[in-house]
Amino acid sequence: MSAPVYDLVDFDEVVEKFDPALGLEVHVELSTKTKMFCGCPTTFGAEPNTQVCPTCLGLPGSLPVVNKAAVEAAIRIGLALNCSIAPWCRFARKNYFYPDMPKNFQTSQYDEPIAFDGYLDVVLDDGETFRVGIERAHMEEDTGKSVHIGGADGRIHGAEYSLLDYNRAGVPLIEIVTKPILGTRERAPEIARAYVTALRDLIKALGVSDVRMDQGSLRCDVNLSLAPRGSGELGTRTETKNVNSLRSVERAVRHEMCRQAGVLLAGGEVVQETRHFLEDTASTRPGRRKETSEDYRYFPEPDLVPIAPSEEWIEELRATLPELPWARRARLQKEWQLSDEELRDLVNAGALDLIEATVAAGAPADDARAWWVAYLTQQANAREIPLDELPITPAQVARVIELVKSGELTNKLAREAVNGVLAGEGDVDEVVAKRGLAVVSDEGELVAAVEAALAAQPDVVEKIRGGKVQAAGAIVGAVMKATGGKADAKRVRELILERCS
Amino acid sequence: MTSELIRKTAAELAELIHSKQVSAVEVAQAHLDRIAEVDGTIHAFLHVAADEALKSAALVDEALAAGSEPASPLAGVPLALKDVFTTIDMPTTAGSKILEGWRPPYDATVTKKLRAAGITILGKTNMDEFAMGSSTEYSAYGPTRNPWDLDRVPGGSGGGSAAALAAFEAPLAIGTDTGGSIRQPAAFTGTVGVKPTYGGVSRYGLIACASSLDQGGPCARTVLDAALLHEVIGGHDPLDSTSIDQPVPAVVDAVRQGASGDLSGVRVGVVRELTGEGYQAGVQAAFDAAVQQLEKLGADVVEVSCPTFPTGIAAYYLILPSEVSSNLARFDAMRYGLRVDQGSSAEEVMAATRESGFGPEVKRRIMLGTYALSAGYYDAYYGQAQKVRTLIARDFAAAFEQADVLVSPTAPTTAFPLGDKLDDPLSMYLNDLATIPTNLAGTAALSVPCGLADGLPTGLQVMAPAMGEAVMYRVAAAYEAARGPAPTPEVTA
Amino acid sequence: MSADPGATGPTLGRDEVAHLARLARLAVTEDELDLFARQLDSIIEWVAKVGEIAAADVPPTSHAVPLQNVFRPDELRPGLTQEQALAGAPASQDGRFRVPRILGEEQ
Ligand SMILES: [Mg+2]
Ligand SMILES: [Zn+2]
């Protein structure tokens, strides 16, 4: 039984005929040392089933105990999203069978989330701000991971069997659910992307997760429905999963709008279902239809006691909130005297954190900015990696700048020092020593080089003595050549003039 | 010597072992011999760990020989462990086919405490599958027989532990009590069984039946032995979020105080709703005699009313199956236990395994719980049951204003014949009428033998407020001392 | 489906029992369907008396002990080795639990 296939509708026509309603569910994996309910490590990429214990394997008799750091992270996320923090809440069991879930229920929060009713102001490309309402942020645990063997490209369909690794089972998750996002019209795809971007930056600033979409530590589900334009109704929604990049968020929204419009305009009905985003074609495909309707049979988790955060605790956590990303951007723009355009370029290049860290390590803002946006950006581009993955730290860049300021490195030598660091030859000073990059500061050596150059060009010496001081440049050049560019040109000039006076 | 040793109490054995008059190995061997002699008939044990028991006893003897203090007042005394606590060196099945042969990779906290106390674990005892049942007939490994009458049940779910005590196969045992599974078998076998305050004994490593009701506890033939064991297994456990972070009540001192025989100033409340109609005449008579005995000891006996108690059983049979349906979902053939390779997908293998690995009562309760939690029914069933639970706790609170302890018969009847209630789940459930309110409220209670009715043992239930175990043990010890030695069954192979 | 526990007549039909069995992952037999339908029906009728107690303003009790805010510090605890984790598995391969093919989607 295959569903009828409908044509996609042109995006402009969708917007003309329908109002989209968006809803975004974001799962964030916390970077706590241990899991939500047990003391197993959460690190990514370990050998399978080596980060497990009776509790996260769901062995008979095992019991959960809540990780305090995860609750604190949840409350801080809630506060940063302008949410109310529940004075009393519980965990619940969400019951359904699935092999990657060791207990066949997920310990989650249901009708008593720890944080609820907040908002996030999202700045769009044109500088306009759009407020996204936050329905709730709640705590839950991640599932294990399955590998499907025997089917095409590791997919679930057609597989002969599956292999399960429970290292990820029980890793703390915060699920952040928006209220229905209405009135977005043609900007729905852009707003979806901007929201997830802003949320990612916010959570990164809180330091509670590394929010890597590529590693699954930030995952986004896109709910979308269409209603006839101006009707004020809500249509049947689909939930698109497997949206693994910011770009995909935007494309998934766009595709679902065009697809659902196609169904509706052909007189069909949108099926309430889970769909999967396909990265290669920027389209979605339906998930398997459930044989039985969902009935998660939630009830309060009897193995865990309620959480009742005190006012004092909440205020203590509020005091730990860092400067929020948009506030920080505004401050840096002012401090570094950047135009809107310059700021946006820095943000887009991912250079803001790096420059600020370089400044924090002692470098002047101008120099730090110059290094990151020019030479280092070129290097990153040449290697086709993001700027923050270049193998050089802000502290190392600050050291290079310091050596240039003190005259120990010329700009040319400084670039060589950076190349050495990038090549993995060690820290800045090590590279300078190993590559012999230091400006020649041994006065005797320098004097000898100057005298040799003067002796080789007696005609120039005559010119200088005759008052043509600018002729000294030729001698300076010769000394620089002889020292392999490591001489301090200013000192060389002084020595030449002394000897020609 | 052997037959003498097995008839001694745990306290007496400890004394003999610690004063080196008898070795722990001899004591263990005497009980292993007794098990070999009678357990073919009784079937109290699912697994006997003879080598491990003798090894553990030898360690106690070695330590004593080296001049060390005993690891605990019960060091060297043998014990029968209900097969619902995980043990790293013995299989753990919870009485179910679905866990046949499973060797847990970890010890329950209770198991760890027993080992640290130098207690000799003889083996694992039979039980109704996943502790669901009141007769031990729902064990996947066959029923346990009541040492008083081999054609009768020993009660359940902890029939194995209680029968092991009554048949002198062990002087101590551990049970779990979700709705009476320690107390009702104690009453049926003429032994002592204690359901501690919820949170008083760690549940870590106790295979869950209903998480909010389950509680491990001590079983013995005397109140003092139960108290000694209670102090070994009780106390806070950071691995159990529902564990109470307070010292174990001083129950051994309370027993010694009670044994002096004076209960003056202690108020004893007889619960009106847990007597009279529905109670076997002999059971009622034995209970009335016990109350008179308490009065003679100086207790102030009053009648109290707990009007919601009769509804407790209905609430219980909603809350328990609901939690069971979720707790038992993990038995799915993926990670451990039985796998029935029928069907071509994980879903089919799960369903086939659960169908053939679970017995009828377990399936019935899973189905009932699945129903009670379903969308549309939750409020009427599970939600309403949780409210009844509040009302029962309020009844207890009001009654404990008028009395220090409450008393009732432990079970409405004496042990019933094997097979009698198997086809009638409802009449089986009604057996737990008097024990269930305590589990719903999380309070403490025990059962102490209170004479025979028609030749079979009956139990006196003493109930106390949460963490009020001391007064409960005191009253039971005073009654036990005044009652005199309880009759014991003759068991021959 | 009758959602009213006070209603007369059978509460549970065979179809609903079959639906519950699917939710609970039990491959019940035809005979069991009938047996469970009959037994569950009488049990449900009997437990429904919790509804007769007027308790509209009574708060529900999910936990018998009044504990709250029980937490664990974010500190590592030794767990199981891969060998221990897989020791009880019906099947394993490459350090992972081997299971029959999975039909449904992740939720
Ligand atoms: Mg979720
Ligand atoms: Zn773990």
PDB file of all heavy atoms in Angstrom, chain C residues 29-53:
ATOM      1  N   THR C  29      -2.129 -16.219  23.124  1.00  0.00           N
ATOM      2  CA  THR C  29      -2.846 -17.166  22.275  1.00  0.00           C
ATOM      3  C   THR C  29      -4.329 -16.795  22.244  1.00  0.00           C
ATOM      4  O   THR C  29      -4.797 -15.990  23.062  1.00  0.00           O
ATOM      5  CB  THR C  29      -2.725 -18.593  22.846  1.00  0.00           C
ATOM      6  OG1 THR C  29      -3.326 -18.581  24.153  1.00  0.00           O
ATOM      7  CG2 THR C  29      -1.269 -19.005  22.964  1.00  0.00           C
ATOM      8  N   GLU C  30      -5.039 -17.408  21.336  1.00  0.00           N
ATOM      9  CA  GLU C  30      -6.480 -17.169  21.236  1.00  0.00           C
ATOM     10  C   GLU C  30      -7.184 -17.537  22.550  1.00  0.00           C
ATOM     11  O   GLU C  30      -8.058 -16.814  23.022  1.00  0.00           O
ATOM     12  CB  GLU C  30      -7.070 -17.998  20.090  1.00  0.00           C
ATOM     13  CG  GLU C  30      -6.640 -17.518  18.708  1.00  0.00           C
ATOM     14  CD  GLU C  30      -7.194 -16.129  18.384  1.00  0.00           C
ATOM     15  OE1 GLU C  30      -8.409 -15.918  18.522  1.00  0.00           O
ATOM     16  OE2 GLU C  30      -6.389 -15.240  18.011  1.00  0.00           O
ATOM     17  N   ASP C  31      -6.760 -18.661  23.123  1.00  0.00           N
ATOM     18  CA  ASP C  31      -7.371 -19.092  24.386  1.00  0.00           C
ATOM     19  C   ASP C  31      -7.136 -18.066  25.486  1.00  0.00           C
ATOM     20  O   ASP C  31      -8.016 -17.781  26.296  1.00  0.00           O
ATOM     21  CB  ASP C  31      -6.792 -20.445  24.832  1.00  0.00           C
ATOM     22  CG  ASP C  31      -7.325 -21.581  23.968  1.00  0.00           C
ATOM     23  OD1 ASP C  31      -8.265 -21.316  23.183  1.00  0.00           O
ATOM     24  OD2 ASP C  31      -6.802 -22.706  24.079  1.00  0.00           O
ATOM     25  N   GLU C  32      -5.909 -17.558  25.499  1.00  0.00           N
ATOM     26  CA  GLU C  32      -5.588 -16.576  26.528  1.00  0.00           C
ATOM     27  C   GLU C  32      -6.420 -15.305  26.359  1.00  0.00           C
ATOM     28  O   GLU C  32      -6.785 -14.661  27.337  1.00  0.00           O
ATOM     29  CB  GLU C  32      -4.102 -16.223  26.481  1.00  0.00           C
ATOM     30  CG  GLU C  32      -3.239 -17.173  27.282  1.00  0.00           C
ATOM     31  CD  GLU C  32      -1.777 -16.793  27.180  1.00  0.00           C
ATOM     32  OE1 GLU C  32      -1.295 -16.578  26.050  1.00  0.00           O
ATOM     33  OE2 GLU C  32      -1.125 -16.698  28.221  1.00  0.00           O
ATOM     34  N   LEU C  33      -6.679 -14.942  25.109  1.00  0.00           N
ATOM     35  CA  LEU C  33      -7.499 -13.755  24.865  1.00  0.00           C
ATOM     36  C   LEU C  33      -8.824 -13.879  25.591  1.00  0.00           C
ATOM     37  O   LEU C  33      -9.272 -12.964  26.276  1.00  0.00           O
ATOM     38  CB  LEU C  33      -7.756 -13.581  23.367  1.00  0.00           C
ATOM     39  CG  LEU C  33      -6.721 -12.829  22.548  1.00  0.00           C
ATOM     40  CD1 LEU C  33      -7.241 -12.635  21.130  1.00  0.00           C
ATOM     41  CD2 LEU C  33      -6.422 -11.480  23.185  1.00  0.00           C
ATOM     42  N   ASP C  34      -9.443 -15.042  25.454  1.00  0.00           N
ATOM     43  CA  ASP C  34     -10.737 -15.265  26.117  1.00  0.00           C
ATOM     44  C   ASP C  34     -10.594 -15.272  27.626  1.00  0.00           C
ATOM     45  O   ASP C  34     -11.364 -14.641  28.341  1.00  0.00           O
ATOM     46  CB  ASP C  34     -11.348 -16.600  25.655  1.00  0.00           C
ATOM     47  CG  ASP C  34     -11.778 -16.523  24.200  1.00  0.00           C
ATOM     48  OD1 ASP C  34     -12.197 -15.426  23.778  1.00  0.00           O
ATOM     49  OD2 ASP C  34     -11.683 -17.547  23.503  1.00  0.00           O
ATOM     50  N   LEU C  35      -9.566 -15.999  28.083  1.00  0.00           N
ATOM     51  CA  LEU C  35      -9.361 -16.115  29.527  1.00  0.00           C
ATOM     52  C   LEU C  35      -9.104 -14.740  30.144  1.00  0.00           C
ATOM     53  O   LEU C  35      -9.737 -14.362  31.142  1.00  0.00           O
ATOM     54  CB  LEU C  35      -8.171 -17.046  29.802  1.00  0.00           C
ATOM     55  CG  LEU C  35      -7.827 -17.250  31.276  1.00  0.00           C
ATOM     56  CD1 LEU C  35      -8.894 -18.121  31.949  1.00  0.00           C
ATOM     57  CD2 LEU C  35      -6.453 -17.899  31.444  1.00  0.00           C
ATOM     58  N   PHE C  36      -8.178 -13.988  29.522  1.00  0.00           N
ATOM     59  CA  PHE C  36      -7.858 -12.673  30.063  1.00  0.00           C
ATOM     60  C   PHE C  36      -9.055 -11.733  29.973  1.00  0.00           C
ATOM     61  O   PHE C  36      -9.310 -10.938  30.878  1.00  0.00           O
ATOM     62  CB  PHE C  36      -6.649 -12.065  29.336  1.00  0.00           C
ATOM     63  CG  PHE C  36      -5.330 -12.662  29.753  1.00  0.00           C
ATOM     64  CD1 PHE C  36      -4.291 -12.789  28.850  1.00  0.00           C
ATOM     65  CD2 PHE C  36      -5.125 -13.089  31.066  1.00  0.00           C
ATOM     66  CE1 PHE C  36      -3.069 -13.333  29.236  1.00  0.00           C
ATOM     67  CE2 PHE C  36      -3.903 -13.642  31.454  1.00  0.00           C
ATOM     68  CZ  PHE C  36      -2.873 -13.765  30.534  1.00  0.00           C
ATOM     69  N   ALA C  37      -9.784 -11.816  28.882  1.00  0.00           N
ATOM     70  CA  ALA C  37     -10.951 -10.951  28.743  1.00  0.00           C
ATOM     71  C   ALA C  37     -11.897 -11.184  29.918  1.00  0.00           C
ATOM     72  O   ALA C  37     -12.398 -10.237  30.528  1.00  0.00           O
ATOM     73  CB  ALA C  37     -11.658 -11.216  27.416  1.00  0.00           C
ATOM     74  N   ARG C  38     -12.097 -12.457  30.239  1.00  0.00           N
ATOM     75  CA  ARG C  38     -13.024 -12.784  31.323  1.00  0.00           C
ATOM     76  C   ARG C  38     -12.450 -12.360  32.686  1.00  0.00           C
ATOM     77  O   ARG C  38     -13.095 -11.676  33.464  1.00  0.00           O
ATOM     78  CB  ARG C  38     -13.282 -14.299  31.300  1.00  0.00           C
ATOM     79  CG  ARG C  38     -14.620 -14.714  31.842  1.00  0.00           C
ATOM     80  CD  ARG C  38     -14.921 -16.202  31.578  1.00  0.00           C
ATOM     81  NE  ARG C  38     -13.853 -17.070  32.035  1.00  0.00           N
ATOM     82  CZ  ARG C  38     -13.147 -17.875  31.224  1.00  0.00           C
ATOM     83  NH1 ARG C  38     -13.384 -17.884  29.927  1.00  0.00           N
ATOM     84  NH2 ARG C  38     -12.203 -18.662  31.715  1.00  0.00           N
ATOM     85  N   GLN C  39     -11.189 -12.735  32.934  1.00  0.00           N
ATOM     86  CA  GLN C  39     -10.612 -12.445  34.245  1.00  0.00           C
ATOM     87  C   GLN C  39     -10.381 -10.953  34.462  1.00  0.00           C
ATOM     88  O   GLN C  39     -10.687 -10.421  35.527  1.00  0.00           O
ATOM     89  CB  GLN C  39      -9.280 -13.196  34.393  1.00  0.00           C
ATOM     90  CG  GLN C  39      -9.476 -14.696  34.541  1.00  0.00           C
ATOM     91  CD  GLN C  39      -8.158 -15.422  34.711  1.00  0.00           C
ATOM     92  OE1 GLN C  39      -7.126 -14.946  34.246  1.00  0.00           O
ATOM     93  NE2 GLN C  39      -8.202 -16.581  35.359  1.00  0.00           N
ATOM     94  N   LEU C  40      -9.838 -10.306  33.449  1.00  0.00           N
ATOM     95  CA  LEU C  40      -9.581  -8.874  33.612  1.00  0.00           C
ATOM     96  C   LEU C  40     -10.886  -8.133  33.832  1.00  0.00           C
ATOM     97  O   LEU C  40     -10.961  -7.196  34.616  1.00  0.00           O
ATOM     98  CB  LEU C  40      -8.858  -8.306  32.381  1.00  0.00           C
ATOM     99  CG  LEU C  40      -7.397  -8.752  32.220  1.00  0.00           C
ATOM    100  CD1 LEU C  40      -6.791  -8.148  30.961  1.00  0.00           C
ATOM    101  CD2 LEU C  40      -6.572  -8.356  33.438  1.00  0.00           C
ATOM    102  N   ASP C  41     -11.896  -8.571  33.136  1.00  0.00           N
ATOM    103  CA  ASP C  41     -13.183  -7.909  33.270  1.00  0.00           C
ATOM    104  C   ASP C  41     -13.678  -7.950  34.713  1.00  0.00           C
ATOM    105  O   ASP C  41     -14.124  -6.945  35.260  1.00  0.00           O
ATOM    106  CB  ASP C  41     -14.197  -8.585  32.344  1.00  0.00           C
ATOM    107  CG  ASP C  41     -15.277  -7.604  31.959  1.00  0.00           C
ATOM    108  OD1 ASP C  41     -14.915  -6.605  31.304  1.00  0.00           O
ATOM    109  OD2 ASP C  41     -16.430  -7.824  32.350  1.00  0.00           O
ATOM    110  N   SER C  42     -13.563  -9.118  35.350  1.00  0.00           N
ATOM    111  CA  SER C  42     -14.072  -9.184  36.726  1.00  0.00           C
ATOM    112  C   SER C  42     -13.151  -8.434  37.687  1.00  0.00           C
ATOM    113  O   SER C  42     -13.603  -7.800  38.631  1.00  0.00           O
ATOM    114  CB  SER C  42     -14.275 -10.649  37.157  1.00  0.00           C
ATOM    115  OG  SER C  42     -13.031 -11.295  37.261  1.00  0.00           O
ATOM    116  N   ILE C  43     -11.847  -8.468  37.412  1.00  0.00           N
ATOM    117  CA  ILE C  43     -10.932  -7.733  38.294  1.00  0.00           C
ATOM    118  C   ILE C  43     -11.174  -6.232  38.159  1.00  0.00           C
ATOM    119  O   ILE C  43     -11.243  -5.495  39.150  1.00  0.00           O
ATOM    120  CB  ILE C  43      -9.460  -8.069  37.969  1.00  0.00           C
ATOM    121  CG1 ILE C  43      -9.189  -9.555  38.249  1.00  0.00           C
ATOM    122  CG2 ILE C  43      -8.509  -7.201  38.801  1.00  0.00           C
ATOM    123  CD1 ILE C  43      -7.841 -10.046  37.723  1.00  0.00           C
ATOM    124  N   ILE C  44     -11.343  -5.787  36.933  1.00  0.00           N
ATOM    125  CA  ILE C  44     -11.531  -4.347  36.706  1.00  0.00           C
ATOM    126  C   ILE C  44     -12.830  -3.868  37.344  1.00  0.00           C
ATOM    127  O   ILE C  44     -12.892  -2.809  37.966  1.00  0.00           O
ATOM    128  CB  ILE C  44     -11.487  -4.039  35.194  1.00  0.00           C
ATOM    129  CG1 ILE C  44     -10.037  -4.161  34.693  1.00  0.00           C
ATOM    130  CG2 ILE C  44     -12.018  -2.640  34.906  1.00  0.00           C
ATOM    131  CD1 ILE C  44      -9.914  -4.277  33.205  1.00  0.00           C
ATOM    132  N   GLU C  45     -13.841  -4.696  37.210  1.00  0.00           N
ATOM    133  CA  GLU C  45     -15.114  -4.306  37.807  1.00  0.00           C
ATOM    134  C   GLU C  45     -14.949  -4.123  39.323  1.00  0.00           C
ATOM    135  O   GLU C  45     -15.505  -3.213  39.927  1.00  0.00           O
ATOM    136  CB  GLU C  45     -16.147  -5.403  37.516  1.00  0.00           C
ATOM    137  CG  GLU C  45     -17.570  -4.977  37.844  1.00  0.00           C
ATOM    138  CD  GLU C  45     -18.520  -6.169  37.786  1.00  0.00           C
ATOM    139  OE1 GLU C  45     -18.391  -6.988  36.863  1.00  0.00           O
ATOM    140  OE2 GLU C  45     -19.384  -6.269  38.686  1.00  0.00           O
ATOM    141  N   TRP C  46     -14.095  -4.977  39.888  1.00  0.00           N
ATOM    142  CA  TRP C  46     -13.917  -4.965  41.329  1.00  0.00           C
ATOM    143  C   TRP C  46     -13.006  -3.818  41.774  1.00  0.00           C
ATOM    144  O   TRP C  46     -13.285  -3.106  42.732  1.00  0.00           O
ATOM    145  CB  TRP C  46     -13.375  -6.342  41.725  1.00  0.00           C
ATOM    146  CG  TRP C  46     -12.978  -6.504  43.134  1.00  0.00           C
ATOM    147  CD1 TRP C  46     -13.802  -6.586  44.215  1.00  0.00           C
ATOM    148  CD2 TRP C  46     -11.657  -6.601  43.639  1.00  0.00           C
ATOM    149  NE1 TRP C  46     -13.082  -6.733  45.358  1.00  0.00           N
ATOM    150  CE2 TRP C  46     -11.749  -6.752  45.034  1.00  0.00           C
ATOM    151  CE3 TRP C  46     -10.388  -6.595  43.037  1.00  0.00           C
ATOM    152  CZ2 TRP C  46     -10.630  -6.885  45.841  1.00  0.00           C
ATOM    153  CZ3 TRP C  46      -9.277  -6.725  43.846  1.00  0.00           C
ATOM    154  CH2 TRP C  46      -9.411  -6.867  45.230  1.00  0.00           C
ATOM    155  N   VAL C  47     -11.882  -3.595  41.057  1.00  0.00           N
ATOM    156  CA  VAL C  47     -10.984  -2.508  41.461  1.00  0.00           C
ATOM    157  C   VAL C  47     -11.607  -1.142  41.189  1.00  0.00           C
ATOM    158  O   VAL C  47     -11.200  -0.143  41.782  1.00  0.00           O
ATOM    159  CB  VAL C  47      -9.587  -2.582  40.784  1.00  0.00           C
ATOM    160  CG1 VAL C  47      -8.833  -3.802  41.240  1.00  0.00           C
ATOM    161  CG2 VAL C  47      -9.705  -2.520  39.266  1.00  0.00           C
ATOM    162  N   ALA C  48     -12.610  -1.116  40.315  1.00  0.00           N
ATOM    163  CA  ALA C  48     -13.238   0.169  39.985  1.00  0.00           C
ATOM    164  C   ALA C  48     -13.866   0.814  41.202  1.00  0.00           C
ATOM    165  O   ALA C  48     -14.220   1.995  41.181  1.00  0.00           O
ATOM    166  CB  ALA C  48     -14.284  -0.026  38.887  1.00  0.00           C
ATOM    167  N   LYS C  49     -13.976   0.049  42.302  1.00  0.00           N
ATOM    168  CA  LYS C  49     -14.593   0.657  43.484  1.00  0.00           C
ATOM    169  C   LYS C  49     -13.720   1.757  44.095  1.00  0.00           C
ATOM    170  O   LYS C  49     -14.179   2.496  44.962  1.00  0.00           O
ATOM    171  CB  LYS C  49     -14.994  -0.396  44.506  1.00  0.00           C
ATOM    172  CG  LYS C  49     -13.890  -1.088  45.228  1.00  0.00           C
ATOM    173  CD  LYS C  49     -14.520  -2.038  46.259  1.00  0.00           C
ATOM    174  CE  LYS C  49     -13.485  -2.995  46.822  1.00  0.00           C
ATOM    175  NZ  LYS C  49     -14.045  -4.198  47.356  1.00  0.00           N
ATOM    176  N   VAL C  50     -12.471   1.881  43.619  1.00  0.00           N
ATOM    177  CA  VAL C  50     -11.697   3.046  44.077  1.00  0.00           C
ATOM    178  C   VAL C  50     -12.418   4.330  43.674  1.00  0.00           C
ATOM    179  O   VAL C  50     -12.251   5.368  44.310  1.00  0.00           O
ATOM    180  CB  VAL C  50     -10.247   3.088  43.524  1.00  0.00           C
ATOM    181  CG1 VAL C  50      -9.402   1.963  44.070  1.00  0.00           C
ATOM    182  CG2 VAL C  50     -10.242   3.106  41.997  1.00  0.00           C
ATOM    183  N   GLY C  51     -13.218   4.230  42.621  1.00  0.00           N
ATOM    184  CA  GLY C  51     -13.944   5.401  42.142  1.00  0.00           C
ATOM    185  C   GLY C  51     -15.100   5.793  43.044  1.00  0.00           C
ATOM    186  O   GLY C  51     -15.621   6.905  42.946  1.00  0.00           O
ATOM    187  N   GLU C  52     -15.506   4.854  43.924  1.00  0.00           N
ATOM    188  CA  GLU C  52     -16.655   5.164  44.782  1.00  0.00           C
ATOM    189  C   GLU C  52     -16.277   6.067  45.948  1.00  0.00           C
ATOM    190  O   GLU C  52     -17.125   6.673  46.576  1.00  0.00           O
ATOM    191  CB  GLU C  52     -17.260   3.856  45.334  1.00  0.00           C
ATOM    192  CG  GLU C  52     -17.936   3.029  44.253  1.00  0.00           C
ATOM    193  CD  GLU C  52     -18.126   1.571  44.685  1.00  0.00           C
ATOM    194  OE1 GLU C  52     -18.026   1.273  45.895  1.00  0.00           O
ATOM    195  OE2 GLU C  52     -18.363   0.739  43.784  1.00  0.00           O
ATOM    196  N   ILE C  53     -15.001   6.115  46.249  1.00  0.00           N
ATOM    197  CA  ILE C  53     -14.562   6.994  47.336  1.00  0.00           C
ATOM    198  C   ILE C  53     -14.467   8.407  46.798  1.00  0.00           C
ATOM    199  O   ILE C  53     -13.768   8.661  45.820  1.00  0.00           O
ATOM    200  CB  ILE C  53     -13.193   6.528  47.880  1.00  0.00           C
ATOM    201  CG1 ILE C  53     -13.396   5.262  48.707  1.00  0.00           C
ATOM    202  CG2 ILE C  53     -12.530   7.621  48.666  1.00  0.00           C
ATOM    203  CD1 ILE C  53     -12.296   4.994  49.690  1.00  0.00           C
TER     204      ILE C  53
END
